[in-house]
Amino acid sequence: MTKHIFITGGVVSSLGKGITAASVAMLLKSRGYRVAMQKLDPYLNVDPGTMSPYQHGEVYVTEDGAETDLDLGHYERFAGITCSKASNYTTGRIYSSVIHREREGGYLGGTVQVIPHITNEIKAAIASMHSDDVDIAITEIGGTAGDIESLPFLEAIRQFHHEFGENNSLFMHLTLVPFIKAAGELKTKPSQQSVGILRGIGIVPHILVCRCEIPMQEDHQQKLALFCNVRRENVIEELDVKNSIYEVPLDLARQGVDTCILRLLNLPERESDLTKWKTMLETVLHPKNGTVEIAVVGKYIALRDAYKSIYEALSHAGIANSVKVKFRPLEAEELDKGALDELFSGVNGILVPGGFGDRGVPGKITAVRYAREHGIPFFGICLGMQCAVIEFARNVCGMESANSTEFDPRSEYPVIDLMESQKTITAKGGTMRLGAYPCVLRPGTRAAEAYRAGEIRERHRHRYEFNTKYRNELEKAGLVISGTSPDGKLVEMVELKDHPWFVACQFHPEFKSTPLKAHPLFTGLIRAALAYRG
Ligand code: GLN
């Protein structure tokens, strides 16, 4: 039987609920439990795929092609699990299926209401995690206790726990214990009030995880236990980490959060094995090879979360090469102003990530050219590959006006064009080429060497592709097509020969990188960056 952990948040947002949930999953997994994860988001978009990264950070794509919340990235990276369409439900998705069913006559004769119909639909979403292969399902509720819009989710988990029973499910509440500078003290009151809000809707947390910037004292913990109705040993401190988010699971383990959970769920406390994680963290804290600096040329640079998985994957590749990766985020439009030598001075590699729309594209193309002409290790991802193809067509093949039809529908040389399968699609939500597809690698290329494989599977999120009409001409001029779809029709990877590392892919490798298993293409980039640094 699958048991459940529900994680809620209180006091303020941005406490790192996703990282806490992911850390708990990782700890339970390291005790031999099979864990699945899920995030419930209170907003009305059916999924975050239609939102700007400025609104929501990156859109994380699952293997089965769901466009989801970036917390799922933490789940996969920390716990090494594979999320799916069942791992992310929004209010929009819940309502849309209830309303669809209503129109089909599924509730004929009845009045359709938030309770019980919406809450039942939420409970069904939670129950969809049940499987013979899952011992523990962790469900994180987005938003903060007290938000109007998350109420149906909280009511649903309250009912779920009531029906499922004590010892089969538990509530974990992540809260803030702020340090008030003027008083020189940590304050427990906001947490007490947040738990009060939950209690008002019938949820009594079993475990309290307290985010704080300085360590709590025993009397803080006792006070919280007493006033929040939580056993003292279940009040856990989660201090700000100094160096790496990957310290969080070890900090939580030190306080026995996994033991608390297993006791509460009546599950045996199997031996935990954290050796690999500790070794990995050791490398993060004390890399042997110093630092390399990678420029990331994007259009949502002001918001770190917009390229979350890219930065994480670069760090993982740093771990694999025992080097600290420093980021130089560059706003693509800045490159239009020139002063390139200054902008790129001292960088050991250039990465151009994915994106949509024409803002920033000229700057990205400039970055590609700079990397190509100066022999700086380069990695292009999705739009980054498309920019690399456009740049090559323009500046090597002399097709001056080469472009993607996304930016210039009447381009004389549409080297990137809308995919055939996209031509009849008008609706925007969930209609891109999404999720994992196989890709065949050409032997002897950098791609094949990096992967040490002939066929790979990677996740996609795009509508445009390399226009194969130009394939011969570009290949003749020296562009190497290193990966294609198995039928050979879609170009999935390109690279250059006479360059230390110039590799680009149509898919998003960043989604499959984890700290324990860096992605081969990122590892290749960082290895090349190290060599370039000399
Ligand atoms: N805008 C491009 C396309 O739709 C690239 C997408 C991306 O970078 N994810 O094909």
Side-chain angles (χ1 to χ4, degrees):
M1 187 181 96
T2 307
K3 302 212 175 195
H4 290 265
I5 300 174
F6 297 107
I7 303 189
T8 53
V11 185
V12 291
S13 58
S14 303
L15 283 180
K17 228 182 321 154
I19 290 176
T20 306
S23 301
V24 165
M26 178 268 179
L27 292 175
L28 294 170
K29 242 193 114 183
S30 73
R31 285 184 185 261
Y33 286 99
R34 297 162 307 168
V35 182
M37 301 202 70
Q38 182 181 55
K39 170 108 193 257
L40 305 180
D41 277 309
Y43 53 77
L44 281 167
N45 303 61
V46 171
D47 62 45
T50 52
M51 277 187 238
S52 152
Y54 275 142
Q55 293 278 314
H56 191 266
E58 123 191 318
V59 174
Y60 189 79
V61 181
T62 59
E63 202 67 8
D64 64 353
E67 297 177 285
T68 70
D69 185 79
L70 56 75
D71 274 330
L72 274 71
H74 294 308
Y75 304 164
E76 295 206 346
R77 289 188 284 269
F78 278 73
I81 54 172
T82 304
C83 290
S84 69
K85 291 190 166 141
S87 309
N88 196 190
Y89 282 85
T90 66
T91 296
R93 184 170 169 196
I94 296 285
Y95 269 80
S96 126
S97 54
V98 169
I99 291 169
H100 182 75
R101 191 172 312 121
E102 187 277 329
R103 292 289 82 184
E104 301 238 287
Y107 306 102
L108 226 47
T111 307
V112 184
Q113 295 179 293
V114 174
I115 296 170
H117 301 98
I118 293 298
T119 44
N120 282 351
E121 193 70 18
I122 297 171
K123 286 195 285 178
I126 297 167
S128 74
M129 306 289 277
H130 289 171
S131 136
D132 289 341
D133 303 324
V134 178
D135 302 312
I136 303 171
I138 302 178
T139 299
E140 176 192 344
I141 319 294
T144 307
D147 294 349
I148 293 172
E149 52 180 19
S150 56
L151 274 175
F153 289 111
L154 296 177
E155 170 61 10
I157 61 171
R158 182 197 67 75
Q159 291 183 13
F160 200 98
H161 175 72
H162 174 75
E163 289 162 354
F164 224 58
E166 220 45 60
N167 300 129
N168 292 326
S169 66
L170 66 80
F171 298 116
M172 184 166 175
H173 190 53
L174 183 71
T175 161
L176 177 72
V177 178
F179 176 70
I180 306 296
K181 242 200 211 139
E185 267 183 81
L186 284 174
K187 289 292 178 191
T188 61
K189 185 78 50 102
S191 301
Q192 297 177 39
Q193 287 174 336
S194 175
V195 170
I197 291 171
L198 286 181
R199 223 186 292 126
I201 42 186
I203 293 175
V204 183
H206 299 83
I207 300 177
L208 209 56
V209 179
C210 307
R211 295 279 292 105
C212 43
E213 52 181 302
I214 65 162
M216 292 199 289
Q217 303 300 320
E218 180 55 33
D219 57 330
H220 294 123
Q221 264 144 315
Q222 281 182 10
K223 201 164 159 188
L224 280 165
L226 183 64
F227 294 131
C228 298
N229 229 357
V230 179
R231 295 170 66 119
R232 163 64 190 90
E233 67 266 30
N234 295 347
V235 180
I236 309 282
E237 165 190 282
E238 190 183 320
L239 263 178
D240 290 353
V241 286
K242 283 195 201 77
N243 303 293
S244 161
I245 52 168
Y246 298 124
E247 292 171 54
V248 176
L250 298 183
D251 282 353
L252 293 178
R254 234 171 271 130
Q255 299 176 72
V257 75
D258 41 348
T259 327
C260 295
I261 289 171
L262 294 173
R263 280 187 199 149
L264 285 160
L265 292 179
N266 232 347
L267 290 167
E269 288 168 41
R270 300 175 186 154
E271 194 94 29
S272 146
D273 183 5
L274 297 172
T275 8
K276 275 194 198 145
W277 197 267
K278 286 180 181 161
T279 314
M280 176 274 288
L281 202 56
E282 205 29 52
T283 313
V284 173
L285 302 180
H286 310 288
K288 288 196 195 84
N289 299 317
T291 306
V292 289
E293 189 165 354
I294 305 293
V296 176
V297 184
K299 65 186 271 197
Y300 311 105
I301 281 302
L303 184 72
R304 261 295 162 102
D305 275 357
Y307 300 107
K308 186 96 216 164
S309 295
I310 297 269
Y311 292 129
E312 288 301 306
L314 284 169
S315 304
H316 303 156
I319 299 170
N321 285 287
S322 197
V323 64
K324 182 178 167 56
V325 179
K326 229 176 116 187
F327 310 125
R328 187 178 305 179
L330 293 176
E331 190 59 64
E333 285 160 296
E334 279 299 307
L335 274 65
D336 302 342
K337 301 179 190 153
L340 297 178
D341 292 338
E342 216 173 289
L343 285 171
F344 288 118
S345 110
V347 304
N348 312 116
I350 296 176
L351 188 152
V352 178
F356 296 85
D358 53 5
R359 185 174 71 78
V361 169
K364 290 181 175 184
I365 294 172
T366 304
V368 177
R369 180 171 195 172
Y370 195 87
R372 183 175 59 77
E373 292 182 344
H374 290 77
I376 302 172
F378 167 79
F379 190 14
I381 293 177
C382 207
L383 179 62
M385 173 181 122
Q386 298 176 358
C387 288
V389 172
I390 295 169
E391 194 279 322
F392 191 84
R394 285 185 189 172
N395 302 320
V396 178
C397 303
M399 305 177 192
E400 242 172 80
S401 58
N403 214 332
S404 162
T405 50
E406 181 179 2
F407 315 125
D408 179 5
R410 280 194 290 269
S411 169
E412 202 185 338
Y413 302 104
V415 290
I416 304 292
D417 197 10
L418 194 62
M419 301 182 73
E420 207 42 54
S421 55
Q422 287 286 328
K423 290 193 173 149
T424 50
I425 293 174
T426 50
K428 292 286 184 234
T431 55
M432 282 187 240
R433 179 174 181 237
L434 289 167
Y437 287 91
C439 165
V440 176
L441 301 177
R442 183 156 153 203
T445 57
R446 287 207 201 288
E449 268 167 39
Y451 278 102
R452 290 200 210 133
E455 190 174 319
I456 51 158
R457 275 179 77 79
E458 292 283 3
R459 301 182 196 172
H460 296 253
R461 183 174 186 246
H462 64 118
R463 297 188 200 279
Y464 293 80
E465 60 166 334
F466 185 115
N467 185 347
T468 43
K469 253 197 258 160
Y470 294 93
R471 190 168 161 167
N472 278 344
E473 208 171 335
L474 269 62
E475 274 187 301
K476 250 187 252 148
L479 189 73
V480 178
I481 310 285
S482 46
T484 63
S485 55
D487 64 6
K489 286 190 179 145
L490 300 178
V491 172
E492 303 278 31
M493 290 193 76
V494 301
E495 57 186 71
L496 291 179
K497 261 201 207 112
D498 301 320
H499 189 285
W501 180 270
F502 190 104
V503 174
C505 53
Q506 184 56 71
F507 45 79
H508 290 271
E510 70 272 24
F511 296 140
K512 283 177 88 160
S513 174
T514 75
L516 295 182
K517 205 165 168 246
H519 191 284
L521 295 180
F522 282 88
T523 306
L525 170 74
I526 298 301
R527 191 180 303 125
L530 260 170
Y532 179 83
R533 190 195 67 185

